[in-house]
Amino acid sequence: MIQKNAKVFALGHLIFPVVLLLLFLNQTQFVLLALAVLSFLFTSFLIHRAYVVGDLSQMLRMPGLAVIVFIDMAIVTVVYVLPSWSPGVNPTWLLLFLLPLYASELGKRTALVICGLAVAEISLLTLVQGGSFLSLNTVMSLLGIIVMIVLVGRTSDNLVRMAYYDSLTGLPNRAMFKDRLTALLTKRGSRQKGLAVLFLDLDQFKHVNDTMGHETGDALLKTVADRIRSRIDKDSLLARMGGDEFALLAPNITSADQATQICGIIFESLSEGILLGPHEIYATTSIGIALYPTHGTTPDILMKNAEAAMYRAKQQGRNHYQYYLAPEKTEAQIERFAMEAMLRKALEKDELLVYYQPRVNTKSESVVCVEALVRWQHPTLGIVAPKDFIPLAEETGLIVQLGEQVLRKACKQIKKWQDEGMDELSVSVNLSPLQFRQQHLPGVIARILRQAGLKPRFLELEITESAAMQNVNRNILMLRELKEMGVKISIDDFGTGYSSLSYLKKFPIDALKVDRSFISGIHEDPDDAAIVNAIIALAKTLKLNVTAEGVETESQYLYLQQHRCDEAQGYLFGKPMPPETFEEWYKLNMREKDLMFSPDF
């Protein structure tokens, strides 16, 4: 049973003592005054529980609901029986003030039960007065009661469905789940009975939507919901929390073993393939578990901890369950844990953005390439700096998924720009050390290029000097396989690592990128200038291109031109920009005869 506004239910009862008081003024029977006072005291009790204690919503459930209905019906009974009503006066209409409260608050089914009690009350009144039950006054009152209950109750039920149920699966939604959890915790406060909150997230659901369409995805969600609902205990509540996330509320759980058994039932319900049109899909889910009172005593904490455990289950390999593990109670660890959970969700929902920074050929002074750089615009935190989430992504292994998303978006964007007239524009994408160690990396890159329709020669992969020097022989084979595909390779941040020249000449690479730390001091520090000149000379000897990063002044750019550096990149030309801003920047430079230095972009 769902309550929408217990405060309205309580305030609505005020009309009954007011009507009784008016009847007293008209009939001058002190029994009516006493009944008005009694009704007012009961109404005051309801208002107190609704506004002061705040638990009237919980009271409007069995067995509390039965007590409230009994008192209301008892007051009505006494009003019908004790006063001396004049012949022909049938105050059956009193119920018309009371029953709509139940209809609007509790829905049509509950109101119809109350209606049955109302019929009994009216029968009692006619029996006491010795009149006919089928009198016009009684029949009209009954019709008014029934019509009001049907209209108000049906509207109430429709509002409940809209507010508390998921339209796709028919399951309760997050609001109803939290409401039911709150009610159970209120009942368990004194008795300390256990319960479990399970958060479920379908594995790779986004892939189903992307490859088979949203209709297939919706059908999969409905089938999964039906299968799980048919296997769980009738006292448990399965809800859809949004997207591909579900939650299960299991009452009367006294041990972790019982919660584990529920996970086994869920996994078993999804073990068989799901036929959706021509497709057969095998759905799996990752489950996080929070137990009351071990892992929390409030609805918000239990739900948050179950969701955190679910993300840890995904990290452990998916199609798995994990219980909530409390992190160390330091502020930095709590913040890191929250950041990791938010980053996982951003990756699952593909919410990260890709910005593009231009790279300029120093001879032609034209844009030849853009570097793809990831940005995270959090809905509440705003722009999260890469230094705040890239190290975390590398530490947790999320950098692999993040890198693939950036690569996919960058290739699609470059292909779009090429189709719009930027014919020879290339893109460079950074590979993390963890990505570079993936055995299937060449296959992933080939698939992304094929899906984007981009020729391999327009993609440049940047690996750091330190990553290239780990497991050198394996890396050489990996780089050769990428080169055979037609992809370009560059060594990023060159000069900051510990590369061996004997190995460097064996790497099938195309370019070296001089680290920005050397460029910034190119005029002030002779050592920086000497290092830059040596890197350029080395690259020319090995027949490699050289790109200077972090170029911020015209004097730095002129120095690099004079010393035959092939390309330059930095704030002098443009900051990392979203696609729309880069398009404007590019069009402005196409219209100008000379290269525009655009530090404001």
Side-chain angles (χ1 to χ4, degrees), residues 522-538:
I522 203 170
H523 287 296
E524 293 81 12
D525 191 335
D527 291 338
D528 284 346
I531 291 174
V532 171
N533 293 337
I535 293 175
I536 294 175
L538 173 64

Side-chain angles (χ1 to χ4, degrees), residues 364-384:
S364 64
E365 295 197 330
S366 60
V367 180
V368 292
C369 186
V370 289
E371 181 176 358
L373 299 165
V374 66
R375 295 292 184 267
W376 181 11
Q377 186 166 10
H378 191 273
T380 56
L381 300 178
I383 294 292
V384 182

Side-chain angles (χ1 to χ4, degrees), residues 362-363 536-537 540 546 559-566:
T362 58
K363 292 180 181 179
I536 294 175
K540 298 304 179 183
V546 185
Y559 181 94
L560 294 168
Q561 278 185 317
Q562 293 167 2
H563 289 78
R564 299 192 303 153
C565 181
D566 299 295

Side-chain angles (χ1 to χ4, degrees), residues 152-401:
V152 176
R154 185 169 63 180
T155 302
S156 173
D157 289 341
N158 290 336
L159 291 175
V160 166
R161 279 193 292 271
M162 293 172 60
Y164 292 98
Y165 287 87
D166 174 55
S167 59
L168 176 65
T169 63
L171 293 175
N173 61 12
R174 180 183 289 270
M176 183 174 179
F177 183 88
K178 186 175 180 179
D179 182 84
R180 184 68 59 84
L181 177 58
T182 301
L184 285 175
L185 292 181
T186 301
K187 292 180 181 179
R188 280 159 170 71
S190 59
R191 290 175 284 178
Q192 292 296 310
K193 285 186 178 181
L195 59 81
V197 175
L198 286 73
F199 255 64
L200 295 74
D201 188 275
L202 296 186
D203 299 327
Q204 304 295 343
F205 177 74
K206 185 178 182 300
H207 177 72
V208 174
N209 266 345
D210 291 344
T211 58
M212 302 180 188
H214 289 277
E215 289 186 2
T216 301
D218 289 347
L220 176 61
L221 289 174
K222 289 191 285 188
T223 304
V224 167
D226 291 340
R227 284 194 179 185
I228 297 177
R229 181 166 44 186
S230 67
R231 297 293 301 275
I232 60 175
D233 186 87
K234 65 178 181 179
D235 293 329
S236 298
L237 176 71
L238 179 66
R240 185 186 178 201
M241 309 303 278
D244 58 341
E245 294 182 351
F246 298 85
L248 179 66
L249 176 57
N252 304 320
I253 297 295
T254 57
S255 67
D257 289 341
Q258 289 177 294
T260 301
Q261 290 175 4
I262 294 175
C263 292
I265 292 172
I266 294 173
F267 290 139
E268 185 180 350
S269 69
L270 301 179
S271 60
E272 296 182 5
I274 299 174
L275 290 174
L276 299 174
H279 308 291
E280 183 175 16
I281 301 173
Y282 286 86
T284 61
T285 183
S286 299
I287 305 176
I289 309 168
L291 300 175
Y292 171 87
T294 307
H295 300 144
T297 56
T298 67
D300 288 332
I301 292 177
L302 283 169
M303 293 167 66
K304 176 178 70 70
N305 291 346
E307 187 173 15
M310 179 267 289
Y311 283 116
R312 198 162 64 86
K314 280 188 172 293
Q315 185 181 359
Q316 298 296 324
R318 306 176 189 271
N319 197 26
H320 188 57
Y321 69 87
Q322 286 288 326
Y323 285 89
Y324 173 71
L325 291 179
E328 296 293 329
K329 299 300 182 181
T330 67
E331 185 175 348
Q333 288 172 323
I334 292 174
E335 184 178 348
R336 178 196 177 281
F337 187 79
M339 183 67 74
E340 179 184 346
M342 290 187 293
L343 181 57
R344 288 183 182 279
K345 181 163 288 188
L347 288 171
E348 286 286 335
K349 309 303 180 185
D350 198 13
E351 295 174 348
L352 297 183
L353 308 175
V354 179
Y355 280 30
Y356 299 90
Q357 186 175 30
R359 217 166 76 192
V360 174
N361 184 287
T362 58
K363 292 180 181 179
S364 64
E365 295 197 330
S366 60
V367 180
V368 292
C369 186
V370 289
E371 181 176 358
L373 299 165
V374 66
R375 295 292 184 267
W376 181 11
Q377 186 166 10
H378 191 273
T380 56
L381 300 178
I383 294 292
V384 182
K387 65 181 180 63
D388 294 331
F389 71 90
I390 293 296
L392 177 63
E394 291 175 339
E395 182 181 342
T396 57
L398 295 174
I399 194 67
V400 175
Q401 184 180 354

Side-chain angles (χ1 to χ4, degrees), residues 4-14 50-51 56 101 104-105:
K4 295 176 290 303
N5 194 342
K7 294 179 179 179
V8 173
F9 181 83
L11 287 175
H13 272 69
L14 279 173
Y51 283 88
L56 184 58
L101 296 176
S104 63
E105 184 64 18

